[in-house]
Amino acid sequence: MDLSSLIGMLLGIIGLVTGLLVGGADILIYADLSSVFITIFGSFGALMITHPLQRILMMPQLIGIIYRGRKYEEEKLIAHLVSFSEKARRDGLLALEDDLDAIEDPFFRKGIQLVVDGTDPEIIKMILYTELNKIEERHEGNYLMFDDWGKTAPAFGMIGTLTGLIAMMRRMEDKLAIGRGMAQALLTTLYGAVLAYLFLIPFKRKLEMKSNAETLVKEILIEGVLSIQAGDNPRILEEKLYTFLPPSRRESLRDEMTKT
Amino acid sequence: MDLSSLIGMLLGIIGLVTGLLVGGADILIYADLSSVFITIFGSFGALMITHPLQRILMMPQLIGIIYRGRKYEEEKLIAHLVSFSEKARRDGLLALEDDLDAIEDPFFRKGIQLVVDGTDPEIIKMILYTELNKIEERHEGNYLMFDDWGKTAPAFGMIGTLTGLIAMMRRMEDKLAIGRGMAQALLTTLYGAVLAYLFLIPFKRKLEMKSNAETLVKEILIEGVLSIQAGDNPRILEEKLYTFLPPSRRESLRDEMTKT
Amino acid sequence: MDLSSLIGMLLGIIGLVTGLLVGGADILIYADLSSVFITIFGSFGALMITHPLQRILMMPQLIGIIYRGRKYEEEKLIAHLVSFSEKARRDGLLALEDDLDAIEDPFFRKGIQLVVDGTDPEIIKMILYTELNKIEERHEGNYLMFDDWGKTAPAFGMIGTLTGLIAMMRRMEDKLAIGRGMAQALLTTLYGAVLAYLFLIPFKRKLEMKSNAETLVKEILIEGVLSIQAGDNPRILEEKLYTFLPPSRRESLRDEMTKT
Amino acid sequence: MDLSSLIGMLLGIIGLVTGLLVGGADILIYADLSSVFITIFGSFGALMITHPLQRILMMPQLIGIIYRGRKYEEEKLIAHLVSFSEKARRDGLLALEDDLDAIEDPFFRKGIQLVVDGTDPEIIKMILYTELNKIEERHEGNYLMFDDWGKTAPAFGMIGTLTGLIAMMRRMEDKLAIGRGMAQALLTTLYGAVLAYLFLIPFKRKLEMKSNAETLVKEILIEGVLSIQAGDNPRILEEKLYTFLPPSRRESLRDEMTKT
Amino acid sequence: MDLSSLIGMLLGIIGLVTGLLVGGADILIYADLSSVFITIFGSFGALMITHPLQRILMMPQLIGIIYRGRKYEEEKLIAHLVSFSEKARRDGLLALEDDLDAIEDPFFRKGIQLVVDGTDPEIIKMILYTELNKIEERHEGNYLMFDDWGKTAPAFGMIGTLTGLIAMMRRMEDKLAIGRGMAQALLTTLYGAVLAYLFLIPFKRKLEMKSNAETLVKEILIEGVLSIQAGDNPRILEEKLYTFLPPSRRESLRDEMTKT
């Protein structure tokens, strides 16, 4: 579980609701079917014009990723790469073939497979970086979907408020009705703003960060695989990969290394 | 057909209309000729100042592209390139001449033609990348047209609202007339917002994505053509082009390869 | 004449005016001297703080460029370069000296002059690209002037509206006067918006595009001049320059070539 | 102490409060618990969705950095590097080992350690630049946290104002209550704006600048370490590092050099 | 004197004031001490949090630079460099030592000094470009200070308006007082807008342009110094530096050259 995201979401909702209760408002007045249609369905329609069906359908899965904890453990990965480097220097690159099936990450496995196959280093580099770039492009497509929706939702909120205001102003005889009409009209803007600022935009930023974290892991892997093939000194490799981590986590790496 | 774009457009319109009906508004009050003139014609005029006539006239065609399904099938293309690579290694580059007429994509045909003509690899690379860059520039010009209009339409909506408010405020004696005048004035802003956020901006984003998809195809082609000329191993070529696809589509590529 | 820009401007103005007339407004109520002073003179003053006098004085000339038709004909240029390439291969680079005076474009003439003088290719490349960069920088300075004004004009419109509102609110006894005061106040915002969105911002975008079109021509010229000096095959040169044009215009190039 | 930041914060608060007192307002009317919940807790919740818990918890520490004075003294650093350069040329690179423990900055010590170990220059360069890039990425993550909050706070202010307006408009019978309701509603927008513009955005900009200042120090260090390893002339090294400082501080560097 | 900036500032102020007088407003109603505190002192406080004291204190000096005329004369500089180039080819690089003291620009003098000292061309290039980059960074820090203030001032204007509106709405019994209260409240927004759009943002843009102009001069100098050291033909050097100037100023360069 990604605790921060979960607590954040709860805190945001609780903050809003408590604020309303403390201010003495009746929560029920904020529920409105018409606003759901205009703001949520309307902006979702605009989103579907832009993004392919396939990506739209991935949305629940992407939201799942936001609340799921990190699955990458760079420390373990570095320890793994260094042990491969030692083995390769001791027993030759072909000796790594036995460990291939034990590698879970398909990107890592592919890199070692290419090394074992004796592929040219330039081609390995090109294949792994192309793969990384394409992964980043797919991730970007995904989080920009939330960004697009986050920009469209307030616009549809405004559209709903405009339609509401126009309808209201056509019947301005009844003063009390004006207030109710205006309240109704502003509800769509409220829906758009909450949808965008409490959900969609934070979702986009979170996915962007998770994507950056994955890119870091892939960079460590590419650097490691190429060093293993080049037969670099495992100590130098460790030193290099070490720099990818924040100082606070280098301690835990040291522990990891002594375990292996 | 691009189902997502079509469903999205319908969903957006239905969401808006249903929201209005559920809210009890009369749809007819939103029809206004004056607002069409100011917002749509006005902003279209501003657009024509910027973009050449030729591109303006392409607009219906570009909207057609949005709703048309993908025509690129990367899997087939990669299979095609790999089979060319095998043939070239077996029978020499000149043997590809027989297949030239069967290639539909003019960019692909041009690449193979240059290879068959024995053109220098550096020149082929330069010609194909220049061609790709110019294609991207033309696409960008096209989708930025929708972007420009999408930014101008709300501005003209605001201009219309200002003119309406000013006219209304000059005759503030009649209280009911104020309401009607204001309703009228806000209609242009509504028109500008719907035009921009339900149509133009999603159109721009969709064309941008379709352009990126085409660029991907062209990158695969350039990579493939240069590999064929260099006489690379077809297996390595396959491995390279493979990385351009998302993992989910690599399976279908495997199937494609065994068919060929 | 640049038809699109002219029609666009007329359409924008007609759209606005017709919209007002259809809406039943009196056009004369939108004329206001005070708003001209605050919005137009005020924002023009802010513009003059930023840009040098020399560039400010070029404004009418730059607007002229917007409405003037294209003067570049890439097709002719490419045919010209190819014929030079043929001549240079047949009779030597020095033979081009006779044609120098017939070249109208000073950039083109300079390039050929440098070739005839036997200047080192690296230095020619450096001189022509520096020249191109400096041309682009000057163009950018010019169109950013319209951009700056386009951003400042709405701000001064808002300043005028604020001053108007403040003056009005100090004498709120007379209800009808409030309406008139508010109408007056909003006029400056209207002036700022029309100035920016119907004129300045489209002007900026148009000049930007014209600058890009000129850059394209210069790139063709540099590529051509360097190829001529290097003694490249005229067919290859033609093929290279060909790619700079959109497919629709390549036909007309073919015609041009057979004429020469 | 960073005097400018401290004075700035006080001046901002005093400016606001004095302005209110001079205008005759009662400061107490601006305190509101409901607005704290909606604007501050709500936007903080949205922030927590985006950023990892670990970074959120660093917030007080980061604010501490803003008000702490500069700890980097480039002049001393350059003098230090030049004296190392002289020692290395006189007594060999290994002689630097004795000074290792006296170096406080871990980045500096790591660089000299690598030199003493006889590591390949390319690898030293790669390790130090990777380290620098990762430091910059971590800093960016930190100051973008304040940026994200600075953008979200006004949005939650608007959300609070919308909820307040909607609640108020549902009971428009009492005219005086309208005023109070509206005043209440606007408080959240006020909270959001003060939080963002007086605290969060200046904090972000300040941290960004402190990060740039640290990058400068690290660049000087990398340049220095690589020059020492290459055995460059200490006078040339001094001249090089000299250019990193503004002219006004070069004098103090001269003084520093003569002291050493 | 920079005439354009001076005229612009006067025109902006006169435009505003005349517009108000023509509109029949009383200028005195716009003077308000409370607004000065909130908008000007408040936003200046926020600015001081961000920028170091030293840079804040440079503000009057930077405004002086805006109104001061250009001190760079590229034509003279190019003539100077070409004459040095001729001398160096005739009498050797060391002969330039006699002219060192006559060079006013410290950047130019430093370049020639390095040449006379026989420094390696790569190191000269590196030192001069580092110096240029650091100059640009300092300039950027300076003009971004005006940019930051220009963005913060309207925000504090809005904060002041919010506080004013809130205070006013708490005592809505007196209808005339409402108008006065609202007028008061809007004054801060007015102050913020005038400060930003008539002063700070144009100041930022002007300083940005002056910085670009200085960069151009420095680029000419670096290009010239390196050419002199390489012993390039003075005619080629002239031709190269020539391209840095707009065509309109090349004539005056020709005149300058014949004088020398």
Side-chain angles (χ1 to χ4, degrees):
Chain A
M1 284 303 293
D2 187 317
L3 261 184
S4 186
S5 290
L6 199 75
I7 297 174
M9 168 125 303
L10 292 176
L11 188 64
I13 295 171
I14 291 169
L16 266 184
V17 172
T18 316
L20 291 177
L21 294 176
V22 167
D26 175 5
I27 300 286
L28 285 177
I29 64 173
Y30 299 107
D32 182 49
L33 188 63
S34 163
S35 302
V36 170
F37 273 107
I38 295 176
T39 309
I40 304 185
F41 287 10
S43 63
F44 189 75
L47 187 74
M48 280 189 71
I49 296 178
T50 302
H51 291 273
L53 203 56
Q54 198 177 354
R55 197 184 282 152
I56 298 276
L57 294 174
M58 275 180 68
M59 221 177 234
Q61 198 181 330
L62 290 167
I63 294 174
I65 290 174
I66 291 166
Y67 291 102
R68 206 181 306 144
R70 291 173 55 78
K71 78 167 186 253
Y72 304 109
E73 301 183 21
E74 289 86 349
E75 290 86 349
K76 272 198 183 156
L77 197 72
I78 293 177
H80 207 157
L81 282 163
V82 171
S83 78
F84 270 33
S85 166
E86 284 160 350
K87 188 169 184 187
R89 269 168 76 103
R90 209 174 43 230
D91 311 324
L93 289 170
L94 284 178
L96 298 177
E97 194 154 23
D98 311 333
D99 301 296
L100 264 176
D101 295 333
I103 306 175
E104 271 177 58
D105 186 297
F107 188 88
F108 190 1
R109 197 165 52 234
K110 184 176 195 171
I112 296 297
Q113 178 73 62
L114 286 165
V115 166
V116 168
D117 291 353
T119 318
D120 186 82
E122 275 314 299
I123 290 175
I124 295 187
K125 203 171 175 178
M126 186 269 191
I127 287 178
L128 295 182
Y129 271 113
T130 306
E131 180 104 35
L132 176 53
N133 288 342
K134 295 301 158 189
I135 289 172
E136 285 182 295
E137 279 176 21
R138 281 194 296 274
H139 286 184
E140 198 183 300
N142 292 343
Y143 63 70
L144 287 185
M145 173 170 60
F146 287 96
D147 201 47
D148 280 335
W149 199 6
K151 281 174 186 157
T152 312
F156 274 83
M158 191 189 71
I159 288 173
T161 296
L162 285 167
T163 55
L165 285 179
I166 291 167
M168 177 205 87
M169 280 163 179
R170 298 220 135 217
R171 26 171 212 243
M172 278 184 69
E173 310 81 39
D174 180 7
K175 206 134 187 219
L176 285 182
I178 293 179
R180 294 196 161 260
M182 204 129 176
Q184 191 85 14
L186 287 178
L187 271 175
T188 54
T189 294
L190 177 64
Y191 276 47
V194 171
L195 189 61
Y197 295 108
L198 185 51
F199 299 92
L200 300 172
I201 294 173
F203 284 2
K204 181 250 164 175
R205 291 281 292 141
K206 185 75 177 192
L207 283 173
E208 194 180 356
M209 279 178 199
K210 294 227 164 179
S211 171
N212 291 344
E214 198 184 322
T215 297
L216 177 67
V217 169
K218 298 278 185 279
E219 283 174 358
I220 291 176
L221 276 171
I222 295 177
E223 192 60 47
V225 166
L226 293 175
S227 265
I228 289 170
Q229 193 183 32
D232 282 355
N233 183 328
R235 290 289 76 71
I236 294 290
L237 174 61
E238 191 184 338
E239 192 69 50
K240 269 195 208 171
L241 299 184
Y242 201 80
T243 53
F244 283 89
L245 296 184
S248 60
R249 286 171 61 191
R250 291 180 190 169
E251 289 307 300
S252 60
L253 177 59
R254 296 261 185 242
D255 301 348
E256 196 72 35
M257 298 305 287
T258 51
K259 268 193 287 179
T260 330
Chain B
M1 285 302 292
D2 189 317
L3 261 183
S4 186
S5 289
L6 198 76
I7 297 173
M9 169 125 303
L10 292 176
L11 188 63
I13 295 172
I14 291 170
L16 267 185
V17 172
T18 315
L20 292 177
L21 293 176
V22 167
D26 176 4
I27 299 287
L28 286 177
I29 63 174
Y30 299 108
D32 182 50
L33 189 62
S34 163
S35 302
V36 171
F37 274 107
I38 295 177
T39 309
I40 303 185
F41 288 10
S43 62
F44 189 75
L47 186 74
M48 280 189 71
I49 296 178
T50 303
H51 291 273
L53 203 56
Q54 198 177 351
R55 196 184 280 151
I56 299 275
L57 293 174
M58 274 180 68
M59 221 177 234
Q61 198 181 330
L62 290 167
I63 295 174
I65 289 173
I66 291 167
Y67 290 102
R68 206 180 306 144
R70 292 174 55 78
K71 80 167 184 251
Y72 304 109
E73 300 182 23
E74 290 85 349
E75 291 85 350
K76 272 197 182 157
L77 198 72
I78 294 178
H80 207 156
L81 283 163
V82 172
S83 78
F84 270 32
S85 167
E86 285 159 350
K87 189 169 183 185
R89 270 167 77 103
R90 210 174 42 230
D91 311 324
L93 289 171
L94 284 177
L96 297 177
E97 194 153 24
D98 310 333
D99 301 296
L100 266 176
D101 295 334
I103 306 174
E104 272 176 58
D105 186 297
F107 188 88
F108 190 1
R109 198 165 52 233
K110 184 177 194 170
I112 296 297
Q113 178 73 61
L114 287 165
V115 166
V116 168
D117 292 354
T119 318
D120 187 81
E122 274 314 300
I123 290 176
I124 296 186
K125 202 171 176 178
M126 186 269 192
I127 287 179
L128 295 182
Y129 272 113
T130 306
E131 180 104 36
L132 176 53
N133 288 343
K134 294 302 158 187
I135 289 173
E136 285 182 294
E137 280 177 21
R138 281 194 296 275
H139 286 184
E140 198 183 301
N142 292 342
Y143 64 70
L144 287 185
M145 173 169 60
F146 287 96
D147 201 47
D148 280 337
W149 199 6
K151 280 173 187 157
T152 313
F156 274 83
M158 191 189 73
I159 287 173
T161 297
L162 286 167
T163 56
L165 286 178
I166 291 167
M168 177 204 87
M169 280 162 179
R170 299 221 136 217
R171 24 170 214 246
M172 277 185 68
E173 310 82 39
D174 180 7
K175 207 139 184 213
L176 285 181
I178 293 179
R180 293 195 162 261
M182 204 129 177
Q184 192 85 16
L186 288 178
L187 271 174
T188 54
T189 294
L190 176 65
Y191 276 46
V194 171
L195 189 61
Y197 295 106
L198 184 52
F199 298 93
L200 300 171
I201 294 173
F203 284 2
K204 182 251 163 175
R205 291 281 292 139
K206 184 75 177 193
L207 283 173
E208 194 180 356
M209 279 177 199
K210 294 226 165 179
S211 172
N212 291 345
E214 199 184 321
T215 297
L216 177 67
V217 169
K218 298 277 185 280
E219 283 174 358
I220 291 176
L221 276 171
I222 296 177
E223 192 60 49
V225 165
L226 294 175
S227 265
I228 289 170
Q229 193 182 33
D232 283 355
N233 183 329
R235 290 289 74 73
I236 294 291
L237 174 62
E238 191 184 337
E239 193 69 50
K240 269 194 208 171
L241 299 184
Y242 201 78
T243 53
F244 283 90
L245 296 184
S248 59
R249 286 172 60 192
R250 291 180 189 169
E251 290 306 301
S252 59
L253 177 59
R254 296 261 185 243
D255 300 348
E256 196 71 36
M257 297 304 286
T258 50
K259 267 193 286 179
T260 330
Chain C
M1 286 301 293
D2 188 316
L3 261 183
S4 185
S5 290
L6 198 77
I7 297 174
M9 169 125 303
L10 292 176
L11 188 64
I13 296 172
I14 290 172
L16 267 185
V17 172
T18 315
L20 292 176
L21 293 176
V22 167
D26 176 4
I27 300 285
L28 286 177
I29 62 173
Y30 299 108
D32 182 49
L33 189 62
S34 163
S35 302
V36 170
F37 274 106
I38 295 177
T39 309
I40 303 185
F41 288 10
S43 63
F44 190 75
L47 187 74
M48 280 188 71
I49 295 178
T50 303
H51 291 273
L53 203 56
Q54 196 177 353
R55 195 185 282 153
I56 299 275
L57 294 174
M58 274 181 68
M59 221 177 233
Q61 197 181 328
L62 290 168
I63 295 174
I65 290 174
I66 290 167
Y67 291 102
R68 205 182 306 144
R70 292 173 56 78
K71 80 166 183 251
Y72 303 110
E73 301 182 22
E74 289 86 349
E75 290 86 350
K76 273 198 182 156
L77 198 72
I78 293 177
H80 207 156
L81 283 163
V82 172
S83 77
F84 270 34
S85 167
E86 284 160 351
K87 190 170 182 184
R89 270 168 77 103
R90 209 174 42 229
D91 311 325
L93 289 171
L94 285 178
L96 297 177
E97 194 152 26
D98 311 332
D99 302 298
L100 266 177
D101 295 333
I103 305 175
E104 273 177 58
D105 186 299
F107 188 88
F108 189 1
R109 198 166 53 235
K110 185 176 195 170
I112 296 297
Q113 179 73 62
L114 287 164
V115 167
V116 168
D117 291 354
T119 318
D120 186 83
E122 274 315 299
I123 291 175
I124 296 187
K125 201 170 175 178
M126 186 267 192
I127 287 178
L128 294 182
Y129 272 112
T130 307
E131 180 104 36
L132 176 53
N133 288 343
K134 294 302 158 188
I135 289 173
E136 285 183 295
E137 279 176 21
R138 283 194 295 276
H139 286 185
E140 197 182 301
N142 291 342
Y143 65 68
L144 286 185
M145 173 169 59
F146 287 96
D147 201 48
D148 280 337
W149 201 4
K151 281 174 187 156
T152 313
F156 274 83
M158 191 190 71
I159 288 173
T161 296
L162 285 167
T163 56
L165 286 178
I166 291 166
M168 179 203 84
M169 280 163 178
R170 298 218 135 220
R171 24 170 214 243
M172 276 186 69
E173 310 82 40
D174 180 6
K175 208 144 184 208
L176 285 182
I178 294 180
R180 294 197 161 261
M182 203 129 177
Q184 192 85 14
L186 288 178
L187 271 175
T188 54
T189 293
L190 176 64
Y191 275 47
V194 171
L195 189 61
Y197 295 107
L198 184 52
F199 298 93
L200 300 171
I201 294 174
F203 284 2
K204 180 252 163 174
R205 292 280 293 139
K206 184 76 176 192
L207 283 172
E208 194 179 358
M209 278 176 200
K210 294 227 164 178
S211 172
N212 291 344
E214 199 183 321
T215 297
L216 177 67
V217 168
K218 298 277 185 278
E219 282 174 357
I220 291 176
L221 276 170
I222 295 178
E223 191 61 47
V225 165
L226 294 175
S227 264
I228 290 169
Q229 192 182 33
D232 284 353
N233 183 329
R235 290 290 72 76
I236 294 291
L237 174 61
E238 190 184 336
E239 193 68 49
K240 268 195 209 170
L241 300 184
Y242 201 79
T243 53
F244 283 89
L245 296 184
S248 59
R249 286 172 62 192
R250 291 180 189 169
E251 289 306 301
S252 59
L253 177 59
R254 296 261 185 241
D255 300 347
E256 196 71 36
M257 297 305 287
T258 52
K259 268 193 285 178
T260 329
Chain D
M1 284 302 292
D2 188 317
L3 261 184
S4 186
S5 290
L6 198 76
I7 297 174
M9 167 127 303
L10 292 176
L11 188 64
I13 295 170
I14 291 170
L16 266 185
V17 172
T18 316
L20 291 176
L21 293 176
V22 167
D26 175 5
I27 300 285
L28 286 176
I29 63 172
Y30 299 107
D32 182 51
L33 189 63
S34 161
S35 302
V36 170
F37 274 106
I38 295 176
T39 309
I40 303 184
F41 288 10
S43 63
F44 189 75
L47 187 74
M48 281 189 71
I49 296 178
T50 302
H51 291 273
L53 202 57
Q54 197 177 353
R55 195 185 281 152
I56 298 276
L57 294 173
M58 275 180 67
M59 222 177 233
Q61 198 181 328
L62 290 168
I63 294 174
I65 290 174
I66 291 167
Y67 291 102
R68 206 182 305 144
R70 290 174 56 78
K71 78 167 185 252
Y72 304 110
E73 302 183 20
E74 290 85 349
E75 290 86 351
K76 273 198 181 156
L77 197 72
I78 293 177
H80 207 155
L81 283 163
V82 171
S83 78
F84 270 34
S85 166
E86 284 159 351
K87 189 169 183 185
R89 270 169 75 105
R90 209 175 42 230
D91 311 325
L93 288 170
L94 284 177
L96 298 177
E97 193 153 26
D98 310 333
D99 302 296
L100 264 177
D101 295 332
I103 306 175
E104 271 176 58
D105 186 297
F107 188 89
F108 189 2
R109 197 165 54 235
K110 183 177 196 171
I112 296 297
Q113 179 72 62
L114 287 165
V115 166
V116 168
D117 291 354
T119 318
D120 185 82
E122 275 313 300
I123 289 175
I124 297 187
K125 201 171 176 178
M126 186 269 191
I127 287 178
L128 294 182
Y129 273 113
T130 306
E131 180 104 36
L132 175 53
N133 288 342
K134 295 300 158 191
I135 290 172
E136 285 183 294
E137 279 176 21
R138 283 194 295 276
H139 286 184
E140 198 183 300
N142 291 343
Y143 63 69
L144 286 185
M145 173 169 60
F146 287 97
D147 201 48
D148 280 337
W149 200 7
K151 282 174 186 155
T152 312
F156 274 82
M158 192 189 73
I159 287 173
T161 296
L162 284 167
T163 55
L165 286 179
I166 291 167
M168 178 204 86
M169 279 163 179
R170 298 220 135 218
R171 25 172 210 241
M172 279 185 69
E173 309 81 40
D174 180 7
K175 208 144 187 209
L176 285 182
I178 293 179
R180 293 195 161 261
M182 203 128 177
Q184 191 85 13
L186 287 178
L187 271 174
T188 53
T189 294
L190 176 64
Y191 275 46
V194 171
L195 189 62
Y197 295 107
L198 185 52
F199 298 92
L200 299 172
I201 293 173
F203 284 3
K204 180 251 163 175
R205 292 281 293 140
K206 185 74 176 192
L207 283 173
E208 194 180 356
M209 278 177 199
K210 294 228 164 180
S211 171
N212 290 344
E214 198 184 323
T215 297
L216 177 66
V217 169
K218 298 276 184 282
E219 282 174 357
I220 291 176
L221 276 170
I222 295 178
E223 191 61 45
V225 166
L226 294 175
S227 264
I228 289 170
Q229 192 183 32
D232 283 353
N233 183 330
R235 289 290 74 72
I236 294 290
L237 174 62
E238 191 185 337
E239 192 69 48
K240 268 195 210 171
L241 299 184
Y242 201 80
T243 53
F244 284 88
L245 296 184
S248 59
R249 288 172 61 191
R250 292 179 189 170
E251 290 306 301
S252 60
L253 177 59
R254 298 260 185 242
D255 301 348
E256 196 72 36
M257 298 304 287
T258 51
K259 268 192 288 178
T260 332
Chain E
M1 285 302 292
D2 188 316
L3 261 184
S4 186
S5 290
L6 198 76
I7 297 174
M9 167 125 304
L10 292 176
L11 189 64
I13 296 171
I14 291 172
L16 266 186
V17 172
T18 315
L20 291 177
L21 293 176
V22 166
D26 176 4
I27 300 286
L28 286 177
I29 62 172
Y30 299 108
D32 182 50
L33 189 62
S34 162
S35 302
V36 170
F37 274 107
I38 295 177
T39 309
I40 302 184
F41 287 10
S43 63
F44 190 75
L47 187 74
M48 280 189 72
I49 296 178
T50 302
H51 291 273
L53 203 55
Q54 195 178 354
R55 195 185 282 152
I56 299 276
L57 294 174
M58 274 181 69
M59 221 177 235
Q61 196 180 329
L62 289 168
I63 294 174
I65 289 174
I66 291 167
Y67 291 102
R68 204 181 306 143
R70 291 173 56 77
K71 79 166 184 253
Y72 304 110
E73 301 182 22
E74 289 86 349
E75 291 85 350
K76 273 197 182 157
L77 197 72
I78 293 177
H80 207 155
L81 283 163
V82 172
S83 78
F84 270 34
S85 167
E86 284 159 352
K87 190 170 182 183
R89 270 168 76 104
R90 209 175 42 230
D91 311 325
L93 289 170
L94 284 178
L96 298 177
E97 193 153 25
D98 310 332
D99 302 296
L100 265 177
D101 294 333
I103 305 175
E104 273 177 57
D105 186 298
F107 188 89
F108 190 1
R109 197 165 54 236
K110 184 176 196 170
I112 296 297
Q113 179 72 63
L114 287 165
V115 166
V116 168
D117 291 355
T119 318
D120 185 81
E122 274 315 298
I123 290 175
I124 296 187
K125 201 171 175 178
M126 186 268 193
I127 287 178
L128 295 182
Y129 272 113
T130 306
E131 180 104 37
L132 176 53
N133 289 343
K134 295 300 159 192
I135 290 173
E136 286 183 293
E137 279 175 21
R138 282 194 296 276
H139 285 182
E140 197 183 300
N142 292 343
Y143 64 69
L144 286 185
M145 173 169 59
F146 287 97
D147 201 48
D148 280 337
W149 200 5
K151 281 175 186 155
T152 312
F156 274 83
M158 192 189 72
I159 288 172
T161 296
L162 285 167
T163 56
L165 285 178
I166 292 166
M168 179 204 84
M169 280 164 179
R170 298 219 136 220
R171 24 172 212 242
M172 277 185 70
E173 309 82 39
D174 180 6
K175 207 142 187 211
L176 284 183
I178 293 179
R180 292 195 162 262
M182 202 131 178
Q184 192 84 16
L186 288 178
L187 270 174
T188 54
T189 293
L190 177 64
Y191 275 47
V194 171
L195 189 61
Y197 295 107
L198 185 52
F199 299 93
L200 300 171
I201 293 173
F203 283 2
K204 181 251 163 174
R205 292 280 292 139
K206 184 75 177 192
L207 283 172
E208 194 180 357
M209 279 177 200
K210 295 227 165 179
S211 171
N212 291 343
E214 199 183 322
T215 298
L216 177 67
V217 168
K218 297 277 184 280
E219 282 174 356
I220 291 176
L221 276 170
I222 295 178
E223 191 61 45
V225 165
L226 294 175
S227 264
I228 289 169
Q229 192 182 33
D232 283 353
N233 184 329
R235 290 290 72 75
I236 293 290
L237 174 61
E238 190 186 336
E239 192 69 49
K240 268 195 208 169
L241 300 184
Y242 200 80
T243 53
F244 284 88
L245 296 184
S248 60
R249 286 172 63 191
R250 291 177 189 172
E251 290 306 301
S252 59
L253 177 60
R254 298 259 185 242
D255 301 349
E256 196 71 36
M257 297 304 287
T258 51
K259 268 193 286 179
T260 331

